[in-house]
Amino acid sequence: MGIIETQIFKVDYQNPNPKDIAIAAQIIKDGGLVAFPTETVYGLGADATNPNASKEIYRAKGRPGDNPLIVHIDSMDMLWKVADQRDYRAERLADRFWGGPLTIILKKSELIPKETTGGLDTVAVRMPGRIVAQRLISAAGVPIAAPSANISGRPSPTMAKHVIEDFTGRIQGIIDDGPSPIGLESTIVDLSESETRILRPGYITLQDVEDTLDERVYIGYGNVSTERPKAPGMKYKHYAPKGELVLVKGDISNVVRTINELLDIAKGKREAVISCDENISKYNTKNKYSLGSMFSEDIMRNLYRTLRLLDEDRVDIAYCETFYNLKHSEAIMERLKRASSKIIEV
Ligand code: TXA
Ligand code: MG
Protein backbone atom coordinates (compact mmCIF):
# COMPACT_ATOMS: atom_id res chain seq x y z
CA MET A 1 0.00 0.00 0.00
CA GLY A 2 1.31 3.45 -0.90
CA ILE A 3 1.11 6.52 1.30
CA ILE A 4 -2.20 8.32 0.86
CA GLU A 5 -2.52 12.07 1.23
CA THR A 6 -4.80 12.72 4.23
CA GLN A 7 -6.92 15.87 4.07
CA ILE A 8 -7.83 17.31 7.48
CA PHE A 9 -11.10 19.24 7.74
CA LYS A 10 -11.34 21.38 10.88
CA VAL A 11 -15.03 22.21 11.32
CA ASP A 12 -17.38 23.83 13.83
CA TYR A 13 -19.29 21.11 15.67
CA GLN A 14 -22.60 22.97 15.45
CA ASN A 15 -22.18 24.54 12.07
CA PRO A 16 -19.70 22.72 9.82
CA ASN A 17 -18.72 24.34 6.54
CA PRO A 18 -20.89 22.66 3.87
CA LYS A 19 -17.96 22.74 1.43
CA ASP A 20 -15.83 20.61 3.75
CA ILE A 21 -18.72 18.20 4.27
CA ALA A 22 -19.27 17.99 0.50
CA ILE A 23 -15.62 17.13 -0.18
CA ALA A 24 -15.59 14.49 2.58
CA ALA A 25 -18.90 13.04 1.34
CA GLN A 26 -17.49 12.77 -2.19
CA ILE A 27 -14.53 10.76 -0.87
CA ILE A 28 -17.01 8.33 0.72
CA LYS A 29 -19.08 8.10 -2.48
CA ASP A 30 -15.90 7.34 -4.41
CA GLY A 31 -15.15 4.38 -2.14
CA GLY A 32 -12.55 6.14 0.07
CA LEU A 33 -12.20 6.41 3.86
CA VAL A 34 -13.01 9.45 6.01
CA ALA A 35 -12.74 9.53 9.80
CA PHE A 36 -15.48 11.63 11.37
CA PRO A 37 -16.70 12.62 14.85
CA THR A 38 -19.68 11.14 16.65
CA GLU A 39 -20.88 11.82 20.18
CA THR A 40 -19.30 8.54 21.40
CA VAL A 41 -15.91 8.24 19.68
CA TYR A 42 -14.48 9.07 16.25
CA GLY A 43 -15.47 6.62 13.49
CA LEU A 44 -13.60 5.45 10.40
CA GLY A 45 -16.21 5.80 7.66
CA ALA A 46 -16.80 4.25 4.26
CA ASP A 47 -19.80 3.55 2.00
CA ALA A 48 -21.57 0.65 3.77
CA THR A 49 -23.12 -0.54 0.50
CA ASN A 50 -19.75 -0.92 -1.25
CA PRO A 51 -17.95 -4.21 -0.44
CA ASN A 52 -14.56 -2.89 -1.53
CA ALA A 53 -14.89 0.19 0.66
CA SER A 54 -15.66 -2.02 3.66
CA LYS A 55 -12.62 -4.15 2.88
CA GLU A 56 -10.54 -0.97 2.92
CA ILE A 57 -11.71 -0.29 6.49
CA TYR A 58 -10.47 -3.72 7.65
CA ARG A 59 -7.17 -3.18 5.88
CA ALA A 60 -6.59 0.31 7.30
CA LYS A 61 -7.43 -0.75 10.88
CA GLY A 62 -5.72 -4.12 10.76
CA ARG A 63 -9.06 -5.51 11.92
CA PRO A 64 -9.95 -9.23 11.74
CA GLY A 65 -12.42 -9.82 8.89
CA ASP A 66 -14.98 -11.60 11.12
CA ASN A 67 -15.57 -8.48 13.21
CA PRO A 68 -18.58 -6.65 11.71
CA LEU A 69 -18.96 -2.90 11.28
CA ILE A 70 -21.66 -0.55 12.58
CA VAL A 71 -23.72 1.13 9.85
CA HIS A 72 -24.53 4.81 10.49
CA ILE A 73 -27.75 6.29 9.12
CA ASP A 74 -29.42 9.71 9.06
CA SER A 75 -33.13 8.78 9.04
CA MET A 76 -35.71 6.07 9.72
CA ASP A 77 -36.09 5.80 5.94
CA MET A 78 -32.49 4.75 5.71
CA LEU A 79 -33.00 2.27 8.57
CA TRP A 80 -35.63 0.37 6.60
CA LYS A 81 -33.31 0.31 3.60
CA VAL A 82 -30.46 -1.37 5.49
CA ALA A 83 -32.60 -3.60 7.76
CA ASP A 84 -35.08 -6.22 6.65
CA GLN A 85 -36.87 -6.68 9.97
CA ARG A 86 -39.73 -4.40 10.98
CA ASP A 87 -39.68 -4.54 14.75
CA TYR A 88 -41.63 -2.50 17.31
CA ARG A 89 -38.58 -2.59 19.62
CA ALA A 90 -36.50 -0.81 16.98
CA GLU A 91 -39.17 1.88 16.58
CA ARG A 92 -39.42 2.48 20.31
CA LEU A 93 -35.68 2.57 20.94
CA ALA A 94 -35.07 4.81 17.93
CA ASP A 95 -37.82 7.13 19.07
CA ARG A 96 -36.30 7.53 22.50
CA PHE A 97 -32.53 7.38 21.88
CA TRP A 98 -31.73 8.40 18.27
CA GLY A 99 -29.74 10.37 17.22
CA GLY A 100 -27.64 9.13 20.04
CA PRO A 101 -25.28 6.54 21.48
CA LEU A 102 -27.34 3.41 20.80
CA THR A 103 -26.75 0.70 18.17
CA ILE A 104 -29.39 -1.91 17.32
CA ILE A 105 -28.93 -5.22 15.53
CA LEU A 106 -31.55 -6.42 13.04
CA LYS A 107 -31.68 -8.79 10.06
CA LYS A 108 -29.85 -7.12 7.19
CA SER A 109 -31.28 -6.23 3.79
CA GLU A 110 -29.72 -7.00 0.39
CA LEU A 111 -28.35 -3.44 0.26
CA ILE A 112 -25.70 -4.26 2.87
CA PRO A 113 -23.04 -6.69 1.65
CA LYS A 114 -21.56 -9.41 3.89
CA GLU A 115 -18.19 -7.65 3.67
CA THR A 116 -19.73 -4.95 5.90
CA THR A 117 -21.26 -7.38 8.41
CA GLY A 118 -18.29 -9.71 8.82
CA GLY A 119 -20.22 -12.46 7.03
CA LEU A 120 -23.32 -12.24 9.28
CA ASP A 121 -26.88 -11.89 8.03
CA THR A 122 -27.61 -9.25 10.65
CA VAL A 123 -26.59 -5.59 10.61
CA ALA A 124 -25.70 -3.22 13.45
CA VAL A 125 -27.24 0.23 12.89
CA ARG A 126 -26.93 3.56 14.64
CA MET A 127 -28.18 7.07 14.00
CA PRO A 128 -25.61 9.38 15.59
CA GLY A 129 -26.67 12.62 17.25
CA ARG A 130 -23.54 14.58 16.38
CA ILE A 131 -24.41 17.23 13.78
CA VAL A 132 -21.27 16.72 11.70
CA ALA A 133 -21.94 12.97 11.45
CA GLN A 134 -25.54 13.55 10.38
CA ARG A 135 -24.51 16.09 7.74
CA LEU A 136 -21.85 13.76 6.36
CA ILE A 137 -24.26 10.84 6.00
CA SER A 138 -26.89 13.05 4.37
CA ALA A 139 -24.39 14.58 1.96
CA ALA A 140 -23.01 11.15 1.02
CA GLY A 141 -26.57 9.86 0.50
CA VAL A 142 -25.49 6.36 1.57
CA PRO A 143 -25.30 4.60 4.95
CA ILE A 144 -21.78 4.89 6.35
CA ALA A 145 -20.03 1.87 7.88
CA ALA A 146 -17.75 3.01 10.68
CA PRO A 147 -15.86 1.20 13.39
CA SER A 148 -14.02 3.26 15.98
CA ALA A 149 -11.17 5.07 14.21
CA ASN A 150 -8.26 3.38 15.98
CA ILE A 151 -5.75 0.81 14.83
CA SER A 152 -7.19 -2.54 15.99
CA GLY A 153 -6.47 -3.14 19.70
CA ARG A 154 -5.67 0.48 20.65
CA PRO A 155 -7.96 2.68 22.76
CA SER A 156 -10.77 4.26 20.72
CA PRO A 157 -10.18 7.88 19.64
CA THR A 158 -11.99 10.67 21.47
CA MET A 159 -10.07 13.50 19.81
CA ALA A 160 -9.06 14.08 16.16
CA LYS A 161 -5.46 14.09 17.33
CA HIS A 162 -5.77 10.37 18.18
CA VAL A 163 -7.05 9.62 14.68
CA ILE A 164 -4.26 11.68 13.14
CA GLU A 165 -1.75 9.62 15.18
CA ASP A 166 -3.13 6.31 13.91
CA PHE A 167 -4.20 7.07 10.32
CA THR A 168 -2.25 9.89 8.69
CA GLY A 169 -1.09 8.57 5.31
CA ARG A 170 -3.53 5.62 5.48
CA ILE A 171 -6.92 7.26 4.77
CA GLN A 172 -8.17 10.10 2.55
CA GLY A 173 -9.78 12.40 5.12
CA ILE A 174 -10.20 13.25 8.80
CA ILE A 175 -12.94 15.60 10.05
CA ASP A 176 -12.09 17.34 13.34
CA ASP A 177 -14.89 19.01 15.32
CA GLY A 178 -13.35 18.75 18.79
CA PRO A 179 -13.49 16.16 21.59
CA SER A 180 -16.17 13.44 21.80
CA PRO A 181 -18.61 14.37 24.57
CA ILE A 182 -19.42 10.80 25.70
CA GLY A 183 -16.05 9.15 25.18
CA LEU A 184 -17.11 5.45 25.16
CA GLU A 185 -18.63 3.49 22.27
CA SER A 186 -22.39 3.11 21.87
CA THR A 187 -24.52 0.59 23.73
CA ILE A 188 -25.30 -2.34 21.40
CA VAL A 189 -28.73 -3.97 21.65
CA ASP A 190 -29.45 -7.16 19.73
CA LEU A 191 -33.00 -7.27 18.37
CA SER A 192 -32.38 -10.02 15.83
CA GLU A 193 -33.89 -12.63 18.18
CA SER A 194 -37.01 -12.58 20.32
CA GLU A 195 -35.06 -11.99 23.55
CA THR A 196 -33.58 -8.50 23.71
CA ARG A 197 -29.89 -8.54 24.63
CA ILE A 198 -27.27 -5.92 25.39
CA LEU A 199 -24.08 -7.00 23.58
CA ARG A 200 -21.95 -4.06 24.69
CA PRO A 201 -22.69 -1.69 27.61
CA GLY A 202 -22.52 2.06 26.99
CA TYR A 203 -24.02 5.41 27.89
CA ILE A 204 -27.57 4.05 27.44
CA THR A 205 -27.97 1.57 30.31
CA LEU A 206 -29.80 -1.76 30.55
CA GLN A 207 -32.30 0.00 32.80
CA ASP A 208 -32.90 2.66 30.10
CA VAL A 209 -33.62 -0.07 27.54
CA GLU A 210 -35.88 -2.06 29.88
CA ASP A 211 -37.85 1.06 30.81
CA THR A 212 -38.33 1.92 27.14
CA LEU A 213 -39.39 -1.55 26.00
CA ASP A 214 -41.20 -2.41 29.19
CA GLU A 215 -39.80 -5.93 29.08
CA ARG A 216 -36.90 -7.95 30.45
CA VAL A 217 -33.54 -7.30 28.76
CA TYR A 218 -30.65 -9.78 28.98
CA ILE A 219 -26.91 -9.32 29.05
CA GLY A 220 -25.07 -10.86 26.10
CA TYR A 221 -21.47 -10.05 26.96
CA GLY A 222 -19.55 -12.06 29.46
CA ASN A 223 -16.46 -12.51 31.44
CA VAL A 224 -13.58 -11.30 29.31
CA SER A 225 -11.55 -14.52 29.43
CA THR A 226 -14.28 -17.19 29.31
CA GLU A 227 -16.88 -15.65 27.05
CA ARG A 228 -18.09 -16.76 23.66
CA PRO A 229 -19.55 -13.41 22.75
CA LYS A 230 -22.37 -12.70 20.31
CA ALA A 231 -20.74 -9.45 19.18
CA PRO A 232 -17.64 -10.86 17.51
CA GLY A 233 -15.59 -7.79 18.42
CA MET A 234 -16.04 -8.47 22.12
CA LYS A 235 -13.72 -11.49 22.04
CA TYR A 236 -10.64 -9.43 21.29
CA LYS A 237 -8.43 -7.73 23.88
CA HIS A 238 -9.21 -4.10 23.44
CA TYR A 239 -8.56 -0.54 24.32
CA ALA A 240 -5.26 -1.49 25.90
CA PRO A 241 -2.35 0.85 26.50
CA LYS A 242 1.10 -0.43 25.46
CA GLY A 243 2.29 -0.80 29.07
CA GLU A 244 0.66 -2.91 31.76
CA LEU A 245 -2.59 -1.80 33.38
CA VAL A 246 -3.48 -3.23 36.80
CA LEU A 247 -6.87 -2.61 38.42
CA VAL A 248 -7.06 -2.44 42.20
CA LYS A 249 -10.53 -3.06 43.62
CA GLY A 250 -11.87 -2.69 47.14
CA ASP A 251 -12.50 -0.25 49.92
CA ILE A 252 -10.82 3.03 48.93
CA SER A 253 -8.50 3.21 51.96
CA ASN A 254 -7.24 -0.32 51.16
CA VAL A 255 -6.88 0.57 47.49
CA VAL A 256 -4.81 3.65 48.28
CA ARG A 257 -2.57 1.76 50.72
CA THR A 258 -2.03 -1.12 48.29
CA ILE A 259 -1.22 1.10 45.35
CA ASN A 260 1.22 3.16 47.43
CA GLU A 261 2.95 -0.09 48.47
CA LEU A 262 3.07 -1.36 44.90
CA LEU A 263 4.54 1.95 43.76
CA ASP A 264 7.43 1.37 46.18
CA ILE A 265 8.06 -2.14 44.91
CA ALA A 266 7.99 -1.29 41.23
CA LYS A 267 11.13 0.88 41.38
CA GLY A 268 13.07 1.01 38.14
CA LYS A 269 9.98 0.92 35.99
CA ARG A 270 8.05 3.98 34.93
CA GLU A 271 4.94 3.68 37.08
CA ALA A 272 1.75 5.69 37.36
CA VAL A 273 -1.63 5.88 39.07
CA ILE A 274 -5.04 6.45 37.51
CA SER A 275 -7.50 7.89 40.01
CA CYS A 276 -10.21 10.54 40.25
CA ASP A 277 -10.37 14.11 41.61
CA GLU A 278 -11.68 12.89 44.97
CA ASN A 279 -8.73 10.55 45.65
CA ILE A 280 -5.77 11.68 43.58
CA SER A 281 -3.99 13.58 46.36
CA LYS A 282 -3.67 10.37 48.40
CA TYR A 283 -1.01 8.82 46.16
CA ASN A 284 2.72 9.25 46.70
CA THR A 285 3.91 9.77 43.16
CA LYS A 286 4.20 12.62 40.67
CA ASN A 287 3.01 10.32 37.87
CA LYS A 288 -0.71 10.41 38.39
CA TYR A 289 -3.70 10.97 36.16
CA SER A 290 -7.17 11.96 37.32
CA LEU A 291 -10.11 10.91 35.18
CA GLY A 292 -12.12 13.79 36.72
CA SER A 293 -14.82 13.79 39.35
CA MET A 294 -16.36 10.50 40.38
CA PHE A 295 -19.69 12.32 40.52
CA SER A 296 -19.71 13.37 36.87
CA GLU A 297 -19.52 11.87 33.39
CA ASP A 298 -15.83 12.84 33.24
CA ILE A 299 -14.66 9.36 34.23
CA MET A 300 -16.24 7.94 31.08
CA ARG A 301 -15.29 10.89 28.89
CA ASN A 302 -11.61 10.90 29.89
CA LEU A 303 -10.90 7.17 30.04
CA TYR A 304 -9.54 6.51 26.54
CA ARG A 305 -7.73 9.83 26.39
CA THR A 306 -5.94 8.88 29.61
CA LEU A 307 -5.05 5.38 28.36
CA ARG A 308 -3.46 7.00 25.31
CA LEU A 309 -1.58 9.46 27.55
CA LEU A 310 0.05 6.49 29.30
CA ASP A 311 1.51 5.49 25.95
CA GLU A 312 2.67 9.02 25.18
CA ASP A 313 4.36 9.25 28.58
CA ARG A 314 5.87 5.76 28.11
CA VAL A 315 4.39 4.39 31.32
CA ASP A 316 5.46 0.75 31.93
CA ILE A 317 2.87 -0.03 34.57
CA ALA A 318 -0.23 1.88 35.70
CA TYR A 319 -2.35 1.09 38.77
CA CYS A 320 -5.96 2.11 38.41
CA GLU A 321 -8.86 2.46 40.84
CA THR A 322 -12.15 0.75 39.92
CA PHE A 323 -15.46 2.58 39.53
CA TYR A 324 -18.50 0.68 40.75
CA ASN A 325 -21.83 2.18 41.88
CA LEU A 326 -21.87 4.94 39.26
CA LYS A 327 -24.63 5.29 36.67
CA HIS A 328 -22.21 4.22 33.95
CA SER A 329 -20.11 1.72 35.94
CA GLU A 330 -21.12 -1.16 33.71
CA ALA A 331 -19.70 0.54 30.61
CA ILE A 332 -16.63 1.95 32.35
CA MET A 333 -15.66 -1.30 34.09
CA GLU A 334 -16.19 -3.41 30.97
CA ARG A 335 -13.64 -1.22 29.13
CA LEU A 336 -11.22 -1.13 32.07
CA LYS A 337 -11.31 -4.92 32.43
CA ARG A 338 -10.60 -5.42 28.75
CA ALA A 339 -7.73 -2.94 28.80
CA SER A 340 -6.08 -4.43 31.90
CA SER A 341 -3.92 -7.48 32.50
CA LYS A 342 -5.16 -8.17 36.05
CA ILE A 343 -7.39 -7.13 38.92
CA ILE A 344 -6.07 -7.15 42.49
CA GLU A 345 -8.86 -7.37 45.10
CA VAL A 346 -7.97 -5.83 48.45
O1 TXA B 1 -20.03 4.32 19.30
C1 TXA B 1 -19.81 3.48 18.44
O2 TXA B 1 -20.52 2.47 18.31
C2 TXA B 1 -18.63 3.70 17.50
C3 TXA B 1 -18.94 4.95 16.65
C4 TXA B 1 -17.92 5.21 15.60
O3 TXA B 1 -20.24 4.82 16.11
N1 TXA B 1 -18.37 2.55 16.66
C5 TXA B 1 -17.83 1.41 17.17
O4 TXA B 1 -17.57 0.43 16.21
O5 TXA B 1 -17.58 1.24 18.33
P1 TXA B 1 -16.61 -0.82 16.47
O6 TXA B 1 -16.45 -1.42 15.14
O7 TXA B 1 -15.38 -0.39 17.16
O8 TXA B 1 -17.46 -1.79 17.36
C6 TXA B 1 -18.54 -2.48 16.77
C7 TXA B 1 -18.97 -3.63 17.63
C8 TXA B 1 -18.02 -4.81 17.55
O9 TXA B 1 -17.90 -5.40 18.83
C9 TXA B 1 -18.77 -5.74 16.60
O10 TXA B 1 -18.43 -7.08 16.77
C10 TXA B 1 -20.22 -5.46 16.94
O11 TXA B 1 -20.24 -4.07 17.15
N2 TXA B 1 -21.14 -5.75 15.83
C11 TXA B 1 -21.27 -5.11 14.65
N3 TXA B 1 -22.19 -5.70 13.87
C12 TXA B 1 -22.67 -6.74 14.55
C13 TXA B 1 -23.64 -7.76 14.26
N4 TXA B 1 -24.29 -7.80 13.12
N5 TXA B 1 -23.89 -8.69 15.22
C14 TXA B 1 -23.23 -8.66 16.40
N6 TXA B 1 -22.29 -7.72 16.72
C15 TXA B 1 -22.02 -6.78 15.81
MG1 MG C 1 -13.67 -0.39 18.27
Side-chain angles (χ1 to χ4, degrees):
M1 177 200 71
I3 303 258
I4 298 171
E5 194 193 330
T6 307
Q7 291 189 68
I8 307 217
F9 307 96
K10 182 110 185 72
V11 302
D12 186 289
Y13 81 99
Q14 284 174 310
N15 191 17
N17 185 338
K19 270 195 202 139
D20 290 331
I21 298 293
I23 299 170
Q26 191 60 47
I27 296 173
I28 302 266
K29 285 195 262 190
D30 291 342
L33 302 185
V34 176
F36 64 97
T38 82
E39 64 276 33
T40 57
V41 300
Y42 275 72
L44 179 58
D47 178 355
T49 67
N50 177 343
N52 290 323
S54 288
K55 281 191 206 153
E56 282 299 302
I57 291 182
Y58 289 96
R59 184 194 52 73
K61 273 190 68 116
R63 179 178 178 116
D66 68 348
N67 188 0
L69 308 173
I70 294 177
V71 172
H72 296 69
I73 58 169
D74 69 347
S75 61
M76 290 306 278
D77 258 9
M78 208 182 255
L79 172 64
W80 304 125
K81 286 184 185 143
V82 304
D84 192 11
Q85 179 191 342
R86 287 270 171 175
D87 194 302
Y88 75 95
R89 294 172 296 177
E91 310 256 9
R92 281 204 199 166
L93 291 171
D95 211 44
R96 168 109 188 258
F97 299 115
W98 280 358
L102 181 82
T103 296
I104 60 174
I105 295 181
L106 296 167
K107 299 265 178 295
K108 79 171 192 67
S109 74
E110 292 291 311
L111 183 67
I112 301 298
K114 291 223 165 162
E115 283 77 1
T116 300
T117 63
L120 301 175
D121 56 17
T122 54
V123 62
V125 192
R126 170 159 112 81
M127 190 191 296
R130 196 85 169 162
I131 290 169
V132 173
Q134 290 179 349
R135 300 269 167 89
L136 180 69
I137 302 163
S138 303
V142 290
I144 297 184
S148 51
N150 51 283
I151 298 288
S152 206
R154 293 207 76 195
S156 298
T158 57
M159 301 166 85
K161 155 182 158 179
H162 303 150
V163 185
I164 292 169
E165 257 166 45
D166 281 9
F167 288 107
T168 301
R170 291 165 161 257
I171 63 177
Q172 285 82 3
I174 298 173
I175 307 179
D176 175 0
D177 80 349
S180 311
I182 291 180
L184 292 184
E185 302 86 346
S186 60
T187 305
I188 303 181
V189 182
D190 187 2
L191 303 178
S192 67
E193 291 172 28
S194 56
E195 281 184 352
T196 305
R197 253 172 235 288
I198 308 256
L199 302 191
R200 181 174 70 185
Y203 187 84
I204 310 286
T205 63
L206 180 127
Q207 190 68 55
D208 292 333
V209 176
E210 279 193 337
D211 290 349
T212 307
L213 298 181
D214 200 16
E215 65 179 41
R216 171 110 197 253
V217 173
Y218 298 83
I219 290 184
Y221 54 91
N223 183 293
V224 178
S225 52
T226 58
E227 72 190 320
R228 286 188 55 110
K230 288 210 64 194
M234 301 292 277
K235 74 178 174 240
Y236 299 104
K237 180 162 168 144
H238 251 82
Y239 325 120
K242 291 172 184 155
E244 198 183 342
L245 179 68
V246 175
L247 307 183
V248 185
K249 174 182 176 184
D251 190 72
I252 187 62
S253 57
N254 290 339
V255 168
V256 169
R257 185 168 27 77
T258 305
I259 291 182
N260 278 328
E261 282 167 13
L262 287 165
L263 284 171
D264 269 349
I265 295 167
K267 277 207 188 79
K269 286 191 180 167
R270 196 174 175 86
E271 43 185 31
V273 178
I274 303 178
S275 175
C276 55
D277 288 354
E278 288 75 17
N279 298 330
I280 188 100
S281 67
K282 299 173 180 154
Y283 295 100
N284 308 327
T285 175
K286 292 194 300 294
N287 300 333
K288 46 192 179 185
Y289 304 80
S290 175
L291 295 171
S293 171
M294 213 180 347
F295 305 109
S296 73
E297 292 180 356
D298 288 355
I299 306 285
M300 188 172 34
R301 185 178 300 132
N302 292 326
L303 182 61
Y304 287 144
R305 192 175 61 90
T306 304
L307 294 181
R308 280 186 181 247
L309 272 181
L310 298 178
D311 289 351
E312 238 174 73
D313 297 345
R314 297 179 196 288
V315 171
D316 294 312
I317 180 159
Y319 301 103
C320 181
E321 292 174 3
T322 55
F323 300 93
Y324 292 94
N325 306 317
L326 309 182
K327 172 145 196 253
H328 296 107
S329 284
E330 193 63 16
I332 293 165
M333 288 312 303
E334 194 269 336
R335 301 323 189 273
L336 272 178
K337 284 180 192 163
R338 254 167 229 287
S340 64
S341 51
K342 69 174 164 196
I343 302 197
I344 301 176
E345 299 208 28
V346 294

